[in-house]
């Protein structure tokens, strides 16, 4: 499968790409384009872009929509989706410190002078750790 999304990937796009490779298609490839470019002409599945199926819908972030579309019912993925959602929407003053630290780690990846492919690699490490954490008893420290 070939997917396309906006360049300078951040938390929702990183986590969605991670979930695609981990649970949908381990051989998936990704293309990164300018936010103003039309993704429909690229012969790829667009995600986290305006007006596409795999995007924000009904108050859910792209990661959560992906879980629904591909019927990924793993409780750890559901917990992870709530955390990704909490980071992807504006944070407020009452955000737990652990969530702020996780958001800062994703911000660092986005703001680094590296390619989007490298951002996915670095972000996958965070997502792997978060998934393991969510597979444990609780993720209360993030919420």
């Amino acid at each position: 499968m070939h997917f396309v999304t906006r360049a300078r990937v951040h938390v929702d796009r990183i986590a969605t790409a991670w979930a695609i490779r981990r649970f949908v298609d381990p051989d998936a490839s990704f293309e990164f384009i300018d936010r103003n470019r039309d993704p429909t002409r690229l012969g790829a599945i667009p995600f986290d872009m305006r007006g596409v199926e795999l995007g924000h819908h009904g108050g859910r972030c792209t990661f959560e929509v992906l879980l629904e579309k591909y019927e990924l019912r793993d409780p750890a993925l559901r917990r992870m989706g709530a955390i990704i959602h909490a980071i992807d929407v504006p944070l407020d003053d009452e955000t737990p410190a652990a969530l702020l630290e996780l958001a800062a780690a994703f911000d660092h990846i986005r703001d680094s002078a590296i390619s989007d492919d490298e951002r996915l690699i670095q972000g996958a490490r965070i997502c792997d750790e978060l998934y393991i954490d969510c597979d444990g008893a609780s993720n209360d420290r993030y919420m």
Side-chain angles (χ1 to χ4, degrees):
M1 300 172 88
H2 182 64
F3 292 84
V4 63
T5 193
R6 295 175 288 124
R8 283 196 47 152
V9 293
H10 194 227
V11 60
D12 196 17
R13 283 169 281 153
I14 289 171
T16 300
W18 170 85
I20 288 168
R21 281 199 175 137
R22 181 101 187 250
F23 299 99
V24 177
D25 180 3
D27 297 319
S29 60
F30 297 94
E31 186 174 347
F32 310 98
I33 63 172
D34 181 86
R35 71 173 41 249
N36 296 318
R37 190 166 166 203
D38 180 7
T40 61
R41 300 178 183 204
L42 299 174
I45 302 165
F47 72 95
D48 204 36
M49 302 179 83
R50 283 195 176 110
V52 302
E53 180 182 11
L54 283 177
H56 287 227
H57 295 288
R60 294 175 297 158
C61 69
T62 303
F63 184 88
E64 294 167 305
V65 170
L66 177 89
L67 298 182
E68 289 301 317
K69 176 172 176 54
Y70 290 98
E71 299 179 358
L72 301 173
R73 305 281 184 234
D74 179 351
L77 284 175
R78 298 294 173 161
R79 286 190 287 275
M80 189 172 167
I83 294 167
I84 297 302
H85 179 98
I87 295 171
D88 197 47
V89 298
L91 302 173
D92 61 33
D93 292 338
E94 296 180 25
T95 302
L99 190 63
L100 290 172
E101 290 170 12
L102 189 58
F106 280 109
D107 289 349
H108 175 74
I109 291 170
R110 179 201 56 213
D111 297 340
S112 297
I114 57 177
S115 71
D116 280 307
D117 287 316
E118 183 60 31
R119 286 182 180 103
L120 291 186
I121 291 168
Q122 289 186 19
R125 292 182 193 120
I126 294 172
C127 289
D128 284 337
E129 290 176 24
L130 181 58
Y131 178 70
I132 290 167
D133 195 32
C134 287
D135 199 29
S138 172
N139 63 338
D140 289 346
R141 66 188 179 121
Y142 296 109
M143 308 305 279

